[in-house]
Amino acid sequence: MSSTPLRPLHCQRTLAAFVATVFAAAALASCRSSPDQTISPTLRVAGTVWDDFDAKVSSGPVSIEGETDYQNFEVGGGATFFEPADSGGQRKVARADVSVGAAEFGDIDAIEIAGGGRVYFGQHPTFQPFLSAYLVGTLFDDVANVEVGNQLGGRAGGGLEVALTEQVFVDVTVDYTVPFVAAETDTTPTIDTEVEGFALRIGLGFIF
């Protein structure tokens, strides 16, 4: 982890992620069941191919901020909601899912557990743009026999799903993770750890 100061866009990015999270979560909540709606189980795997993450470690008034490498491979499952399309057939409306991922932040390993979903736009049968919002728990491994603790945060983003067949799709997602509650050690004094930033993820999904 570098001690390079965070870039000036730090606050703007945090605000943008918060606004996007609220917007996408509200859109997902607005989806209501209807007699014509169908629900299909969905499985998805994804991994990061690019990142721009920062980390902040602080104890009292002393803190170190800088860039950190981020990698994640996750497996998720949930349900995709469909409704009749204007041109016939069905279109995706939303997805609710939970994922578990093995992550690395520099030299620190972690487990990420995320729950949330996507809201889709348009009626194209192959290309489905979406917004996404997730609540993310980051469970850091111990470092030098010290419990780093667990971070609770939000992840907001958007992307595009491309249907390869009726059951198989690939997707590209850009999202931003922002911490709500920092990870905290059980030492005295405590040490807080926060990670946040952008990630580009590529996924492969299956609808059953």
Side-chain angles (χ1 to χ4, degrees), residues 50-68:
W50 173 84
D51 75 277
D52 184 15
F53 259 69
D54 298 316
K56 177 180 179 181
V57 179
S58 59
S59 181
V62 180
S63 65
I64 299 176
E65 303 179 5
E67 296 181 358
T68 184

Side-chain angles (χ1 to χ4, degrees), residues 13 47-53 70-71 173-175 197-202:
R13 288 175 175 175
T48 54
V49 294
W50 173 84
D51 75 277
D52 184 15
F53 259 69
Y70 168 66
Q71 298 180 31
T173 308
V174 177
D175 56 49
F198 287 102
L200 173 64
R201 308 172 198 267
I202 295 180

Side-chain angles (χ1 to χ4, degrees), residues 1-6 64-67:
M1 184 186 306
S2 169
S3 59
T4 304
L6 298 181
I64 299 176
E65 303 179 5
E67 296 181 358

Side-chain angles (χ1 to χ4, degrees), residues 14 47 126 131 153 164:
T14 300
T126 302
L131 291 179
L164 303 180

Side-chain angles (χ1 to χ4, degrees), residues 11-12 31 86 88 101 116 128 131 135 145 161 182 184 188 190 196:
C11 294
Q12 292 93 323
C31 294
D86 294 341
Q128 294 104 22
L131 291 179
L135 188 65
N145 295 321
E161 284 189 13
E184 184 178 284
T188 302
T190 61
E196 66 176 292

Side-chain angles (χ1 to χ4, degrees), residues 6-179:
L6 298 181
R7 289 171 293 281
L9 291 177
H10 175 80
C11 294
Q12 292 93 323
R13 288 175 175 175
T14 300
L15 178 60
F18 175 76
V19 172
T21 299
V22 172
F23 177 80
L28 183 61
S30 70
C31 294
R32 296 180 174 84
S33 297
S34 68
D36 297 327
Q37 191 176 80
T38 60
I39 303 174
S40 298
T42 304
L43 176 67
R44 177 177 173 269
V45 295
T48 54
V49 294
W50 173 84
D51 75 277
D52 184 15
F53 259 69
D54 298 316
K56 177 180 179 181
V57 179
S58 59
S59 181
V62 180
S63 65
I64 299 176
E65 303 179 5
E67 296 181 358
T68 184
D69 292 329
Y70 168 66
Q71 298 180 31
N72 173 278
F73 179 80
E74 61 186 12
V75 178
T80 301
F81 298 80
F82 295 85
E83 67 180 24
D86 294 341
S87 58
Q90 292 187 316
R91 72 178 187 93
K92 292 178 182 176
V93 178
R95 175 176 302 139
D97 60 10
V98 176
S99 66
V100 178
E104 294 180 7
F105 296 89
D107 296 328
I108 302 178
D109 294 333
I111 298 295
E112 288 190 312
I113 302 174
R118 296 177 173 181
V119 177
Y120 298 94
F121 302 91
Q123 307 232 359
H124 197 282
T126 302
F127 302 101
Q128 294 104 22
F130 63 84
L131 291 179
S132 62
Y134 289 85
L135 188 65
V136 182
T138 303
L139 289 61
F140 292 101
D141 280 359
D142 296 353
V143 175
N145 295 321
V146 174
E147 291 187 8
V148 177
N150 306 319
Q151 172 179 293
L152 179 64
R155 178 183 295 162
L160 181 69
E161 284 189 13
V162 180
L164 303 180
T165 70
E166 290 185 357
Q167 288 77 38
V168 182
F169 65 88
V170 296
D171 62 43
V172 178
T173 308
V174 177
D175 56 49
Y176 189 82
T177 299
V178 58

